[in-house]
Structure formats: structure tokens, C-alpha cells
Amino acid sequence: MRKAIKDDIFYSQIFKLVLPIVIQNLLSAAVSSADVVMLNYVGQSSISAVSLASQYANILFMVFYGLGTGATMLCAQYYGKGDMQAIQVVEGIAMRFSMLIAICFAGMALLFPEGMMRIFTSDTELITIGASYLRFMSVSYLCWGITEVYLAVLRSIGRVVVSTTMNILAFSLNILLNAVFIFGLFGMPKLGAMGVAIATSLSRLIELFACFMVSGLSKDIKLDFRYLFVKNRALFSDFVRLSLPALGNDISWSVAFSMYSVILGHLGSDVVAANSFVVVVRNFGTILCFGMASAGGILLGNMIGENRLEEARVGAKKLMKLTVITGAIGGGIVLAVTPFVLQHAALSEQAMHYLKYMLIINTYYVMGTAVNTTLIAGVFRAGGDSRFGFICDTIDMWCYAVPLGFLAAFVLKLPVMWVYFLLCTDEFVKWPWVIKHYRSGKWLNNITRDNLFQEKDS
């Protein structure tokens, strides 16, 4: 009876965290789908160009996600410990890195967009459309670098409703402004792909302004740039040791995943267009999985910070059961929407053929993603173990998946669908090592320090 009560408390806490995160992820996926659906009426070239140019946003998302989850590792445990000052300093440290990276990406998008597009395609039309998109996206990169870290810190201390509200504002505005600028509503010019970038940048600017307003009303965690300059040697050392492997993990994985688009981009615009629809559908299929990983990481981190290590170990087992369920649900969602997507996608006959089988492959690919994301980005990072994921994903993607894709596409010259199928084996290849590491319990560590601000900082 006592065990049942504890189970009820754990599941109740998980779902309180999961629901707002799922809503946030749902809206994020809705923005991506809105881009594709609206550009579907503009033309296949616009869909393909934006799909390729968006790979840079995908890389940036993983960079900010890595910094955010890296900060979350420390912040969630310090919140369990009750040290709010440490959380604020960690936020400032993470912000230094995120703003530097955002400035670099924004500068490249503004000054060298054509060169950025040539990495993904040699098609002149796609380069021209994609370059105009990237120039206007540069503003959104700068705003994103600030808001993503701040909202990640809010989530780490359980303020998921506030974080989700900010994202709801940004995503809702993005969809509305997409329609305005793509189709020229309310007297605005029809800007097509460029309109998507303008809408995104405006919505990110408004989200940043809203974050400053929330910060002004907050009693604990502020969006305060003064913390960029606060020095604490112990916390900086911990952040570099724990968070940078998480960042390296997400950058390594996201750049490698973008190489899939490089491979597919050189196999023709039909497969690129089909993949742009597949990405949207897969994003919807993985919403619950990513939500469970984020919520589980926060809850387990709080437990470990309070030194409830055995409870955290038991909680991780419960989280894994939920992950298998959400992975199955995600695969079911992909399967269920496949007929609808095939009916409404305005693509060439060849692209439609690719789309059908790529969606079928993703019905089971979602399960592989669910298990690995929950363990690597959720459970392991909650215990301060980011190094294993970095090594595992780097070897899997760069020594297996990417070389295999290039070999299959350009040396063996296999049919497009065989190339795509082989690329989608990456998640399952690393299962044995990931599950073995989970069972070993080596990921379970309390990474907080005592008397942080009584020592002389420099």
C-alpha cells in the first residue's frame, strides 16, 4: 500500500511537469508544420529551400538545448538543495556561451547565407530562396540564445507553466505572422519563404520582451545580464566539466543528423521535399518522448540534489516504463496521420512515393529515439553524467551512421529508400551500450557543492 502511494506521487509529479512541456513541444511542432503546410501552396522549391536552411536552426536548437540541459543538470540539483544563488550564477555562465554562439550564427547568416546553403545543395534556385530566408533569420538566432537558457533554468526549478506560457506566445505569434507574410494578408506583400523568417524573428523578439517582463515580476530567478560577469571558479569548473560534454553531445548529434540532409539533398529535390514532411510528422510523434525525458530529468535531478539517491534509482525505472509506452504511442501517431499526409501533400509523384515509405520507416524509428533520448538526455544528465552520451552519440553517428549513408548513396549508389532506411538504423545500434550503462547505475551522482559563496571567488 505504501509503495502504491509512492508510485502515485511519482507519476503525479511527472505528469505535472510533462503536460506543460508536451504543450510547448506540440506548439513547436505546429510551427514547423505550419511552415510546410503554408509553403505547400507556394511551391515545392520553397519547401525544399526552407527545409535545408532550417538545418542551421536545428543545429542551433541542439546547441541551446545542450546548454540548457547542461545548466539544468546543475540547477535542478541545486534547487533540490535549496541554493537559489548558485542557480542564478549557473544561468549567467550558460548565457555567456549561448550568446557567443548565437552571435556567430547570426553573423554568418547575415553575411554569408549563400555559402551556408551551398553546403546542403548545388541547386541555384534553392540557394537563392534559402539565402534570403537565412538573412532574416539572423535576428531570431540572437533572441533565441537568450530566451532558451532562461526558460530552461525556469523549467529546472519547476516553473514549467511560466516557461510554456512564453513559448505559447512565441509559437502562436509565429503561426499567425507566417500566414500574414507568406500570403500577404492585411495588405502586406506576399513574401513566401522570406516571410517565414520574418515571422520567426518578430515572434522571437516579442518572446524575449515577455521574458524580461516575467523576470521583473519573479521573486527568485531573474533574467539579469549582470550575472554574465559574476565569477565563481567552482561553479564555472562544474559547468565546463558537466555541461560542455552535454553541449558537445548535442552539437555532435545535430551536425551529424544534418549530414543526413546533405546526403539526401544531393539525391534530388524530390527526396528533400518528402523529408520536409516526414520531419514534421516525426516531430509530432516524438513530442511525448521528449517531454518525458525533460520532465524525468528535472524530477530525478531534484531528488538527487536532496540526496534521495535510492528514490531516484527507482524513479528512473518507472520513467523507463513510461518511455516505452510513449514510444509506442509516438509510432502509432505517425502511422495514424500517414494517410492524411499522403492525401494532402502537393508533391510530385516520385516525392509522394518517397514520402509514403519514409513515414512507414518512422513508425518504428520513434521508439529508438524515445529510449535513447530519455536515458541519455534525461536520466543520465539528471545524475550529472553527460560524458557517456557524448562518447556514445559521437561514435554512433560519425563512425557508423554518417559514413554508412555516404557509402550507400555515393559509392554503392543504392536506391534512395535503401539509403534512408540505413540512416534510420542509428538509434537502434547504440541500444545495447545505452541500456547497459543505465543498468550499471554509474550515472547516479550528487554533483552539488557546499559553501560555494563562502570561498574566495576569482
Side-chain angles (χ1 to χ4, degrees):
M1 185 68 168
R2 188 173 178 180
K3 182 179 183 299
I5 293 172
K6 284 188 175 181
D7 284 352
D8 288 344
I9 293 172
F10 178 85
Y11 291 126
S12 172
Q13 289 174 323
I14 276 285
F15 286 114
K16 281 180 183 177
L17 290 170
V18 163
L19 185 58
I21 294 172
V22 165
I23 292 172
Q24 175 185 326
N25 292 345
L26 180 63
L27 284 166
S28 178
V31 171
S32 299
S33 63
D35 290 350
V36 174
V37 169
M38 293 180 193
L39 288 173
N40 189 43
Y41 294 98
V42 177
Q44 184 169 310
S45 294
S46 292
I47 294 175
S48 299
V50 170
S51 174
L52 292 175
S54 294
Q55 293 304 312
Y56 290 103
N58 293 340
I59 292 171
L60 258 186
F61 169 75
M62 296 309 297
V63 169
F64 297 147
Y65 180 77
L67 285 170
T69 54
T72 298
M73 280 194 293
L74 287 161
C75 292
Q77 289 205 17
Y78 275 113
Y79 184 67
K81 193 180 182 70
D83 191 339
M84 302 305 288
Q85 187 178 358
I87 294 171
Q88 196 77 69
V89 173
V90 169
E91 180 193 341
I93 295 169
M95 202 80 76
R96 287 180 219 166
F97 287 97
S98 68
M99 289 182 68
L100 178 62
I101 293 167
I103 289 169
C104 291
F105 268 77
M108 288 191 298
L110 189 62
L111 301 174
F112 312 109
E114 290 86 1
M116 293 172 75
M117 284 301 298
R118 286 193 184 96
I119 294 174
F120 290 104
T121 183
S122 56
D123 188 305
T124 306
E125 183 184 9
L126 297 187
I127 290 172
T128 302
I129 296 172
S132 67
Y133 171 88
L134 284 170
R135 281 195 183 94
F136 283 96
M137 279 294 289
S138 59
V139 176
S140 74
Y141 296 159
L142 293 172
C143 299
W144 202 8
I146 300 170
T147 58
E148 191 65 26
V149 169
Y150 178 61
L151 296 180
V153 172
L154 288 182
R155 285 193 293 271
S156 74
I157 63 171
R159 309 287 196 274
V160 288
V161 174
V162 175
S163 173
T164 300
T165 302
M166 294 298 98
N167 286 136
I168 288 174
L169 172 66
F171 296 148
S172 301
L173 277 171
N174 201 341
I175 294 173
L176 175 63
L177 293 173
N178 270 345
V180 171
F181 291 114
I182 291 174
F183 301 120
L185 304 181
F186 308 115
M188 298 299 295
K190 293 182 179 181
L191 299 175
M194 190 190 302
V196 175
I198 293 173
T200 302
S201 291
L202 282 174
S203 62
R204 288 290 179 190
L205 273 169
I206 293 169
E207 181 187 32
L208 178 58
F209 179 72
C211 284
F212 278 115
M213 291 182 63
V214 168
S215 172
L217 298 172
S218 175
K219 294 179 180 179
D220 37 45
I221 300 303
K222 303 279 188 181
L223 179 51
D224 190 340
F225 289 141
R226 288 177 296 180
Y227 280 96
L228 287 168
F229 309 103
V230 173
K231 295 181 180 180
N232 185 291
R233 183 175 293 174
L235 279 177
F236 186 82
S237 173
D238 287 346
F239 185 86
V240 170
R241 178 173 58 86
L242 299 168
S243 299
L244 291 194
L247 172 60
N249 185 178
D250 291 333
I251 292 176
S252 176
W253 184 89
S254 61
V255 173
F257 203 75
S258 292
M259 294 304 293
Y260 293 8
S261 293
V262 172
I263 294 168
L264 297 177
H266 287 84
L267 295 179
S269 62
D270 284 330
V271 68
V272 173
N275 191 48
S276 66
F277 278 90
V278 171
V279 168
V280 169
V281 175
R282 184 171 61 228
N283 286 345
F284 278 105
T286 55
I287 283 171
L288 269 175
C289 310
F290 282 98
M292 197 62 67
S294 297
I298 292 167
L299 184 55
L300 294 178
N302 292 163
M303 287 180 178
I304 296 168
E306 294 175 20
N307 229 29
R308 295 154 52 199
L309 301 186
E310 191 53 41
E311 284 186 49
R313 191 190 303 274
V314 174
K317 291 180 181 179
K318 296 172 185 173
L319 187 62
M320 275 303 297
K321 292 177 184 177
L322 291 173
T323 298
V324 173
I325 295 170
T326 56
I329 292 172
I333 289 172
V334 174
L335 186 62
V337 302
T338 293
F340 177 81
V341 175
L342 293 174
Q343 184 179 353
H344 291 88
L347 302 178
S348 67
E349 184 178 347
Q350 185 64 59
M352 291 296 289
H353 171 76
Y354 293 149
L355 178 60
K356 176 182 177 181
Y357 290 100
M358 289 165 81
L359 286 171
I360 291 172
I361 288 171
N362 275 273
T363 58
Y364 63 82
Y365 186 65
V366 168
M367 178 61 79
T369 303
V371 172
N372 289 324
T373 300
T374 298
L375 287 177
I376 292 175
V379 173
F380 297 167
R381 291 185 187 180
D385 183 359
S386 54
R387 187 169 174 269
F388 174 84
F390 176 44
I391 295 171
C392 180
D393 276 339
T394 300
I395 293 173
D396 175 56
M397 297 299 278
W398 290 103
C399 298
Y400 170 77
V402 172
L404 180 63
F406 275 102
L407 178 68
F410 306 121
V411 178
L412 301 177
K413 298 187 185 300
L414 296 179
V416 170
M417 290 317 305
W418 273 106
V419 174
Y420 187 79
F421 169 77
L422 290 172
L423 288 173
C424 289
T425 59
D426 64 314
E427 294 287 356
F428 299 98
V429 166
K430 60 188 177 187
W431 263 18
W433 290 274
V434 172
I435 293 172
K436 181 182 178 182
H437 188 69
Y438 159 69
R439 289 177 174 169
S440 74
K442 294 177 181 178
W443 52 271
L444 188 58
N445 304 286
N446 187 328
I447 54 176
T448 61
R449 294 174 183 260
D450 296 318
N451 306 317
L452 270 171
F453 302 101
Q454 294 177 15
E455 301 170 4
K456 185 177 179 181
D457 297 332
S458 59

